[in-house]
Amino acid sequence: MTDVSRLPGAAHHHWQWQLRAACRNLGPGRFYHPAGERGEQREYRDEAAKRICAVCPVRAACLEHALRTREPFGVWGGLTEEERRALWGPAHAAAARSTA
């Protein structure tokens, strides 16, 4: 279950950045891997998602959100879940892997 306690709340200004996101109308399939996806297929999908993030005008805000809320899945702000976990530090990364 996702821990929503770190989410910023319902205030509109907390989410305004998402309206300018390059991924806004692309659907989640490009950014979240399907169950069992591994190896080259996953790497290819992740790299394609990162190319979209690379030109996104709100990439920094997206990554900040994902790190602050400990977003456990998908590519956010140009980083995969594994790359974000590495930024959280060893204790957080180990805990995230054990619950995933």
Side-chain angles (χ1 to χ4, degrees):
M1 179 182 291
T2 300
D3 177 9
V4 296
S5 66
R6 292 193 267 311
L7 293 177
H12 181 68
H13 68 278
H14 290 299
W15 306 102
Q16 192 69 24
W17 60 269
Q18 291 182 351
L19 297 175
R20 297 188 336 267
C23 64
R24 175 111 176 116
N25 296 310
L26 297 180
R30 296 177 191 225
F31 300 91
Y32 295 90
H33 65 84
E37 182 185 59
R38 302 205 189 305
E40 285 185 14
Q41 288 180 327
R42 184 167 179 178
E43 289 175 23
Y44 179 76
R45 187 197 38 74
D46 284 344
E47 290 304 316
K50 288 179 177 186
R51 284 193 297 275
I52 294 167
C53 295
V55 297
C56 183
V58 296
R59 179 181 179 182
C62 180
L63 181 56
E64 179 184 338
H65 166 79
L67 292 171
R68 183 179 63 249
T69 61
R70 305 264 195 249
E71 180 60 50
F73 304 108
V75 174
W76 287 75
L79 297 181
T80 65
E81 55 262 37
E82 294 85 4
E83 292 165 336
R84 291 192 309 277
R85 281 187 205 122
L87 295 177
W88 298 345
H92 290 292
R97 279 193 302 272
S98 69
T99 61

